[in-house]
Every structure is written in structure tokens, then in C-alpha cells.
């Protein structure tokens, strides 16, 4: 019985005892290489679609991709959590800023207070101005009355232009308007005297006759007394004419 002689192989070849001659070593990339070729054994490589695992075995490359896509590295997860927390803080800060801005818009500011103060100042000044005007008007009327009290009724008879103006508005008999007849009655003249004065109206003014009679009986009669009578009978138009006496005097 003869033993089988194994020939020593050159580099790059091997013979594991199953071949009579040395065989060329299989070439594979470093990613697929599990064990280098020796003179007694061929190169061990992973099959296409596989890759070398850390434990020295082959594993399906697709399964690694799936693990990589589903498994989140610890460092990445930590960064993501930090980003989420940062986003949450930013959202809260944005809400606070927005809420604060709305409160600032609705909060009464200096402009509103200034407007109120200006309005109040205008009201106060307006009230003071109106009050002063009222006081001045009262004083003016008081002063006017005092001045007219000092003017004798004779001045009316002496002022021909004013007397003629009064005669034109007071002597005529106009419906629903009181005239010289009512003035004479207020001065206490009898009805017969008034009828007589109007009987010669074509030649002499009844008003002039009345005023002459009053002055002759009471030289101290004043323009103010005459105005009081005119006001009582509602002849303010004649009152305005008499008030010109202040300017004249």
C-alpha cells in the first residue's frame, strides 16, 4: 500500500490534500476576506451580498443596513433630544414674546395718559374761559345799568336822531305789538290824555309828548327807567336803540 505524496506548493497556491496538484488561491477583496490563503488551505471569502462581521463570520449586508436605519446611535439620540428641548424652549419663548407684545399693545402707555391730560386741560381751560365770559357779561350789564341810571331821560329828547328812531318803532299801532299807548299808561298817564296825544299824531309824536310830560313832572327820570318799561312791554328792539346812549355819552 503506497501513501499519497503531497507536493509543496509555491506562494499563491495551496493543496489541502484533495488535489494532486497545487491550486491557485482564490482572490477576494478585504471586505469579504475571512482568512488568508495558506499552502494547505484556500482563501476563505464571504459570498457576494455579504460582508465580514466583527466576530469573524459572514453576515448579510442588507440586514446590517436595516439595523443601521432603525438603530439610533446614543450620541445621535442625545443630540436629537437636545434639539427637541431647544425647540420646545424656543416655542415657549416665542409664545411669551408674542403674549408680552399683545399686552404691551393693550397696556395703557404714556401716550394714552398724555391724551387724557390734554383733554382734561382743555376742559378746565374752557370752563374757566366760559366762567370769565359770564362774569364779564354780568359786570357789563351791571355797569350798563349803572351808567343808564346816571343818564337823565332828557338826553333822549335832546338826541334828535335817536328820538326819531324810537318814534318810528313805538308810535305806530301794529297788531300784537305794544306801543306808545302802553308806555304812557306805565308812566301813569290817563286814557284821555293818551287819546288826545294820538289825536294830533299827524303833527306831533305821541312818544315825544309822553317823554316831555314825564320829564316836566319828574326831571330826575332816567333812561334806565324808560328801558325798564320797554322791557316790561316786550319792546327789546327799542331797548337796543336806547343802549346806544352809553356810546354817545
Amino acid at each position: 500500500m503506497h501513501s499519497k505524496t503531497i507536493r509543496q506548493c509555491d506562494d499563491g497556491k495551496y493543496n489541502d490534500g484533495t488535489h494532486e496538484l497545487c491550486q491557485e488561491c482564490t482572490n477576494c477583496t478585504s471586505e469579504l476576506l475571512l482568512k488568508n490563503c495558506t499552502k494547505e488551505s484556500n482563501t476563505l471569502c464571504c459570498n457576494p451580498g455579504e460582508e465580514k462581521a466583527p466576530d469573524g463570520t459572514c453576515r448579510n449586508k442588507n440586514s446590517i443596513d436595516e439595523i443601521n436605519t432603525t438603530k439610533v446611535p446614543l450620541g445621535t439620540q442625545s443630540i436629537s433630544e437636545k434639539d427637541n428641548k431647544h425647540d420646545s424652549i424656543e416655542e415657549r419663548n416665542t409664545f411669551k414674546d408674542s403674549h408680552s407684545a399683545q399686552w404691551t399693545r393693550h397696556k395703557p402707555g404714556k401716550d394714552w395718559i398724555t391724551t387724557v391730560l390734554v383733554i382734561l386741560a382743555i376742559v378746565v381751560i374752557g370752563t374757566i374761559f366760559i366762567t370769565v365770559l359770564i362774569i364779564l357779561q354780568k359786570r357789563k350789564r351791571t355797569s350798563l345799568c349803572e351808567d343808564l341810571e346816571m343818564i337823565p331821560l332828557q338826553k333822549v329828547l335832546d338826541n334828535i336822531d335817536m328820538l326819531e328812531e324810537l318814534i318810528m318803532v313805538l308810535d305806530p299801532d301794529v297788531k300784537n305789538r305794544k306801543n306808545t299807548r302802553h308806555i304812557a299808561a306805565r308812566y301813569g298817564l290817563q286814557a284821555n290824555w293818551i287819546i288826545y296825544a294820538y289825536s294830533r299824531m299827524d303833527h306831533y309824536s305821541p312818544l315825544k309828548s309822553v317823554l316831555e310830560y314825564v320829564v316836566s313832572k319828574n326831571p330826575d327820570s332816567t333812561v334806565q327807567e324808560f328801558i325798564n318799561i320797554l322791557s316790561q312791554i316786550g319792546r327789546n328792539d327799542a331797548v337796543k336803540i336806547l343802549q346806544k346812549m352809553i356810546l354817545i355819552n
Side-chain angles (χ1 to χ4, degrees):
M1 185 175 181
H2 299 283
S3 61
K4 189 175 182 180
T5 303
I6 299 174
R7 182 182 297 180
Q8 187 71 22
C9 296
D10 296 332
D11 292 339
K13 294 183 179 181
Y14 75 94
N15 192 337
D16 55 5
T18 60
H19 303 283
E20 183 178 353
L21 300 175
C22 292
Q23 304 293 316
E24 293 288 340
C25 292
T26 304
N27 293 322
C28 61
T29 61
S30 59
E31 290 83 1
L32 302 178
L33 179 65
L34 292 179
K35 185 179 179 182
N36 290 323
C37 182
T38 65
K39 295 185 183 297
E40 290 81 18
S41 62
N42 192 12
T43 307
L44 292 179
C45 300
C46 293
N47 296 323
E50 295 180 337
E51 67 178 2
K52 183 179 178 181
D55 59 358
T57 61
C58 295
R59 61 185 176 187
N60 193 309
K61 190 174 182 180
N62 291 334
S63 63
I64 300 302
D65 292 340
E66 290 177 358
I67 293 173
N68 289 335
T69 56
T70 55
K71 184 177 181 180
V72 180
L74 180 60
T76 304
Q77 184 177 9
S78 177
I79 293 172
S80 177
E81 289 177 354
K82 290 181 180 179
D83 289 340
N84 290 336
K85 290 180 180 179
H86 180 69
D87 292 342
S88 179
I89 293 171
E90 285 187 348
E91 288 177 359
R92 287 198 297 270
N93 291 337
T94 301
F95 174 78
K96 289 180 180 178
D97 293 341
S98 176
H99 192 66
S100 176
Q102 291 178 359
W103 166 247
T104 302
R105 286 196 296 270
H106 295 290
K107 182 180 179 181
K110 292 183 178 180
D111 293 340
W112 183 84
I113 296 174
T114 302
T115 302
V116 172
L117 291 176
V118 170
I119 293 173
L120 289 175
I122 292 173
V123 171
V124 171
I125 293 172
T127 303
I128 294 173
F129 180 74
I130 293 172
T131 303
V132 171
L133 282 180
I134 293 173
I135 293 172
L136 291 176
Q137 287 293 331
K138 288 182 178 180
R139 288 183 177 179
K140 184 177 179 180
R141 286 196 295 269
T142 302
S143 176
L144 180 61
C145 291
E146 291 175 353
D147 292 339
L148 291 173
E149 285 284 358
M150 300 298 295
I151 300 175
L153 188 58
Q154 180 63 47
K155 287 285 187 178
V156 179
L157 292 170
D158 295 341
N159 192 322
I160 298 175
D161 292 336
M162 181 174 292
L163 181 60
E164 288 182 351
E165 194 172 354
L166 290 169
I167 289 171
M168 290 179 62
V169 298
L170 293 173
D171 274 351
D173 286 317
V174 180
K175 186 177 181 180
N176 296 327
R177 293 195 73 181
K178 294 180 179 180
N179 57 8
T180 301
R181 297 176 188 274
H182 302 84
I183 296 170
R186 295 280 179 172
Y187 273 118
L189 298 176
Q190 299 295 320
N192 290 336
W193 193 97
I194 297 171
I195 292 171
Y196 172 75
Y198 264 88
S199 66
R200 48 190 202 127
M201 182 177 177
D202 293 338
H203 307 288
Y204 206 83
S205 166
L207 178 63
K208 186 176 182 182
S209 298
V210 170
L211 296 179
E212 288 175 342
Y213 178 85
V214 172
V215 170
S216 66
K217 292 294 183 180
N218 185 12
D220 295 331
S221 295
T222 64
V223 172
Q224 184 59 49
E225 292 173 356
F226 187 23
I227 287 177
N228 291 340
I229 291 174
L230 292 171
S231 298
Q232 291 169 8
I233 66 175
R235 293 306 302 267
N236 292 325
D237 54 337
V239 171
K240 292 180 180 179
I241 296 172
L242 284 172
Q243 286 175 345
K244 297 177 184 178
M245 295 291 292
I246 297 298
L247 299 176
I248 297 171
N249 289 273

